[in-house]
Amino acid sequence: MNFKQLEAFVQVARSGTVSAAAARLNTTQPAISMRLKDLEHSFRSNLFDRSARKIRLTPVGHELLEYAE
């Protein structure tokens, strides 16, 4: 886990979309997606529920958001 991964995670959690987070962080959607994938791999758990158009936090994601903020 590193700062860029946490930063991406917080921005996606706040905005609900990878594209909005990428725009706010002045980077690309694939870069944000890779950071999230690596972060989820570190936790060995999904941090987001991606079943809807806007992604939502899982219970583990909610816990991490509290820590990250």
Side-chain angles (χ1 to χ4, degrees), residues 18-55:
V18 173
S19 59
R24 288 182 183 167
L25 295 174
N26 198 31
T27 191
T28 64
Q29 289 178 355
I32 297 296
S33 294
M34 183 58 72
R35 292 175 193 173
L36 295 178
K37 179 182 173 187
D38 292 344
L39 189 60
E40 288 179 323
H41 182 71
S42 295
F43 280 91
R44 293 186 177 105
S45 180
N46 290 332
L47 301 172
F48 294 101
D49 175 8
R50 295 171 173 86
S51 62
R53 181 163 176 90
K54 277 192 159 189
I55 58 179

